[in-house]
């Protein structure tokens, strides 16, 4: 029986080769794609499936007559180090696609239920002062100025803040890989978080491969983006001293004010204590990283620029060492899945499935699960 082959259009192959990260594939992969392009060889379906896995390009793209039109404007907006518009990874593109699909579904669902739009999205502007924006966010969320004292540590405060944001209508998702694929981790050096603005379903995604302190700062940073009504793809670490746009400067400043209020900081800071010790004490008091305290001490003129620069370099070195020695653990699958998913969304999704408005297969696709794991997650959550 003759082997069935599938012709691939040359423009599609050109697009695939342009979107493949050469450092992530073997040289023979590009050779094989070239052979398909010239017509020297034609692939079988099995070979196409294998190529899709190797290149991380969706299988369906190979069967198109013309190259796909991917909307990756947000992915291209980021700055990695000092280099702008580097080619986004397939992991970033795929997680953006999943979150965009979730937001689209939730928006349609909320409008179908005739839910009101949120009042806080875009309610502040860059013309407002840092203090005004921070206080408006506290007022809208019902947060005390010293809300940070309620938690034991950064992770605890992250969860508390996340729950508060969800109660006020935001969708908060987290994750460290694409779906359940451990071979497709999200690179914290590429992005730490992103925000997709929408008046009905504003969505924040946090990369969990970051540290607990980093995740908390990212959540606050992205929260400010929501109040300013601006999409965001955030990858500027706490210890970075690189120049960023006025928008990012404002979001960083407001996030710092929410996490370490200037008035509280002045009361806590004791100039008679050695700076290194004081930095550590203040970080424990505010449940945040020493990098945030260091930046706060510099901007409030508690320490000179030379000391700030030297200590900031040490912070970067410590962060790199922490990431290098961080242990990877499989953990509890369902606990991780439920931690990553927004429970308000999952409840609305299952209710829609029960009512017959959403297909089971769409629910699996949106949550990156299958029939067994989707049902298992609902059982672990306690149903709807």
């Amino acid at each position: 029986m003759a082997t069935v082959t599938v012709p691939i259009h040359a423009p599609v192959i050109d697009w695939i080769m342009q979107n493949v990260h050469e450092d992530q594939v073997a040289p023979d992969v590009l050779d094989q794609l070239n052979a398909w392009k010239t017509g020297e060889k034609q692939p079988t379906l099995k070979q196409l499936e294998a190529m899709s896995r190797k290149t991380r390009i969706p299988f369906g793209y190979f069967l198109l007559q013309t190259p796909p039109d991917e909307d990756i404007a947000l992915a291209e907006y980021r700055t990695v180090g000092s280099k702008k518009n580097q080619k986004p990874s397939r992991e970033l593109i795929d997680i953006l696609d999943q979150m965009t699909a979730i937001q689209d579904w939730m928006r349609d669902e909320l409008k179908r239920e005739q839910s009101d739009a949120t009042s806080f999205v875009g309610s502040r502007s860059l013309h407002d002062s840092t203090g005004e924006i921070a206080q408006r966010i506290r007022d809208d969320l019902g947060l005390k100025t010293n809300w940070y004292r309620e938690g034991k540590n950064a992770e605890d405060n992250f969860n508390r803040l996340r729950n508060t944001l969800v109660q006020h209508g935001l969708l908060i998702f987290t994750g460290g890989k694409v779906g359940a694929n451990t071979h497709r981790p999200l690179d914290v050096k590429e992005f730490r978080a992103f925000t997709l603005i929408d008046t009905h379903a504003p969505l924040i995604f946090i990369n969990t491969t970051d540290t607990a302190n980093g995740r908390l700062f990212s959540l606050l940073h992205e929260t400010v983006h929501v109040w300013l009504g601006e999409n965001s793809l955030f990858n500027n670490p706490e210890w970075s001293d690189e120049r960023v746009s006025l928008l990012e400067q404002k979001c960083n400043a407001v996030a710092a004010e929410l996490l370490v209020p200037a008035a509280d900081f002045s009361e806590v800071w004791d100039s008679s204590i050695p700076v290194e010790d004081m930095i550590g004490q203040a970080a424990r008091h505010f449940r945040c990283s020493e990098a945030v305290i260091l930046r706060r001490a510099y901007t409030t003129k508690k320490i000179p620029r030379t000391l700030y620069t030297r200590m900031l370099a040490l912070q970067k070195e410590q962060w790199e060492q922490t990431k290098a020695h961080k242990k990877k653990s499989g953990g509890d699958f369902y606990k991780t899945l439920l931690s990553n998913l927004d429970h308000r969304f999952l409840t609305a999704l299952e209710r829609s499935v029960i009512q017959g408005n959403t297909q089971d297969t769409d629910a699996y696709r949106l949550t990156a699960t299958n029939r067994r794991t989707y049902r298992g997650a609902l059982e672990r959550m306690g149903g709807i």
Side-chain angles (χ1 to χ4, degrees):
M1 184 176 177
T3 302
V4 178
T5 59
V6 183
I8 308 297
H9 294 274
V12 173
I13 294 180
D14 285 337
W15 182 92
I16 290 170
M17 294 178 73
Q18 291 169 8
N19 284 274
V20 166
H21 286 255
E22 295 185 17
D23 59 336
Q24 295 180 354
V25 297
D28 66 304
V29 169
L30 298 179
D31 293 339
Q32 192 172 17
L33 285 170
N34 267 319
W36 293 351
K37 178 184 175 181
T38 61
E40 178 185 344
K41 296 180 180 178
Q42 283 196 340
T44 64
L45 280 175
K46 284 189 176 181
Q47 288 174 332
L48 279 185
E49 290 172 351
M51 183 62 74
S52 175
R53 291 192 296 271
K54 291 176 182 177
T55 59
R56 298 173 183 175
I57 300 292
F59 174 75
Y61 285 11
F62 288 84
L63 306 179
L64 297 174
Q65 293 187 1
T66 58
D69 182 17
E70 289 188 314
D71 182 7
I72 58 172
L74 184 59
E76 292 180 333
Y77 178 71
R78 77 201 189 290
T79 302
V80 181
S82 59
K83 299 178 182 179
K84 294 184 178 180
N85 295 335
Q86 291 192 345
K87 185 188 298 182
S89 69
R90 292 307 310 179
E91 284 71 29
L92 173 55
I93 291 172
D94 289 349
I95 207 71
L96 276 169
D97 283 346
Q98 182 192 1
M99 292 301 119
T100 300
I102 285 173
Q103 184 181 61
D104 289 344
W105 183 92
M106 193 66 174
R107 180 199 309 112
D108 292 344
E109 182 68 8
L110 290 170
K111 287 185 176 180
R112 188 182 66 81
E113 295 178 347
Q114 298 183 336
S115 298
D116 294 332
T118 55
S119 60
F120 51 80
V121 175
S123 60
R124 298 286 88 188
S125 77
L126 284 174
H127 299 296
D128 297 323
S129 70
T130 296
E132 288 172 339
I133 299 173
Q135 191 55 51
R136 176 62 180 270
I137 292 174
R138 291 192 198 101
D139 291 343
D140 287 344
L141 296 178
L143 292 176
K144 298 178 181 178
T145 303
N146 66 343
W147 69 275
Y148 55 85
R149 298 293 295 170
E150 296 175 4
K152 298 178 294 184
N153 49 39
E155 184 174 6
D156 194 11
N157 277 342
F158 175 91
N159 292 329
R160 288 169 178 268
L161 178 60
R162 177 182 183 175
N163 289 336
T164 299
L165 291 169
V166 169
Q167 290 169 10
H168 284 78
L170 276 85
L171 296 169
I172 311 292
F173 290 82
T174 65
K177 56 185 179 293
V178 177
N181 192 337
T182 56
H183 298 293
R184 301 191 65 192
L186 305 179
D187 186 358
V188 72
K189 291 184 178 180
E190 182 175 32
F191 81 101
R192 287 176 151 71
F194 61 77
T195 295
L196 302 175
I197 294 298
D198 185 86
T199 55
H200 280 80
L203 184 150
I204 293 174
F205 181 91
I206 303 294
N207 187 343
T208 57
T209 63
D210 201 356
T211 62
N213 284 321
R215 294 194 296 272
L216 175 58
F217 189 83
S218 292
L219 183 57
L220 286 164
H221 178 99
E222 299 307 302
T223 296
V224 182
H225 270 279
V226 173
W227 261 254
L228 292 177
E230 296 282 353
N231 285 338
S232 161
L233 198 144
F234 181 57
N235 70 298
N236 196 246
E238 306 152 277
W239 40 259
S240 173
D241 196 30
E242 294 180 357
R243 296 192 174 206
V244 292
S245 68
L246 289 175
L247 173 62
E248 293 306 300
Q249 289 178 39
K250 178 70 77 173
C251 290
N252 283 336
V254 176
E257 175 61 24
L258 289 168
L259 189 55
V260 185
D264 294 13
F265 184 67
S266 295
E267 292 181 4
V268 170
W269 189 267
D270 187 344
S271 298
S272 67
I273 298 176
V275 172
E276 290 82 354
D277 295 337
M278 190 66 248
I279 293 289
Q281 286 184 30
R284 289 188 292 274
H285 177 85
F286 290 101
R287 280 72 161 155
C288 68
S289 69
E290 292 187 2
V292 170
I293 297 299
L294 182 62
R295 180 70 181 178
R296 209 70 170 125
Y298 171 64
T299 56
T300 55
K301 299 183 174 13
K302 299 288 192 298
I303 60 174
R305 173 78 185 182
T306 52
L307 179 59
Y308 167 70
T309 302
R310 178 173 63 80
M311 293 188 70
L312 193 66
L314 291 174
Q315 287 293 322
K316 179 179 180 179
E317 183 179 334
Q318 291 173 8
W319 182 86
E320 295 284 2
Q321 291 175 352
T322 299
K323 294 300 296 178
H325 293 91
K326 185 178 180 180
K327 294 182 178 179
K328 296 181 179 180
S329 173
D332 184 313
F333 172 81
Y334 286 108
K335 183 178 180 181
T336 301
L337 177 61
L338 285 173
S339 175
N340 288 339
L341 292 172
D342 182 286
H343 288 202
R344 174 168 157 260
F345 159 74
L346 187 56
T347 298
L349 181 62
E350 175 58 10
R351 184 184 303 116
S352 181
V353 169
I354 292 173
Q355 294 172 346
N357 296 319
T358 299
Q359 296 294 320
D360 288 348
T361 51
D362 287 331
Y364 308 153
R365 175 180 56 83
L366 289 169
T367 54
T369 58
N370 55 40
R371 181 177 181 179
R372 179 180 61 83
T373 54
Y374 177 78
R375 292 298 159 196
L378 287 172
E379 289 176 9
R380 288 287 290 270
M381 190 174 72
I384 64 170

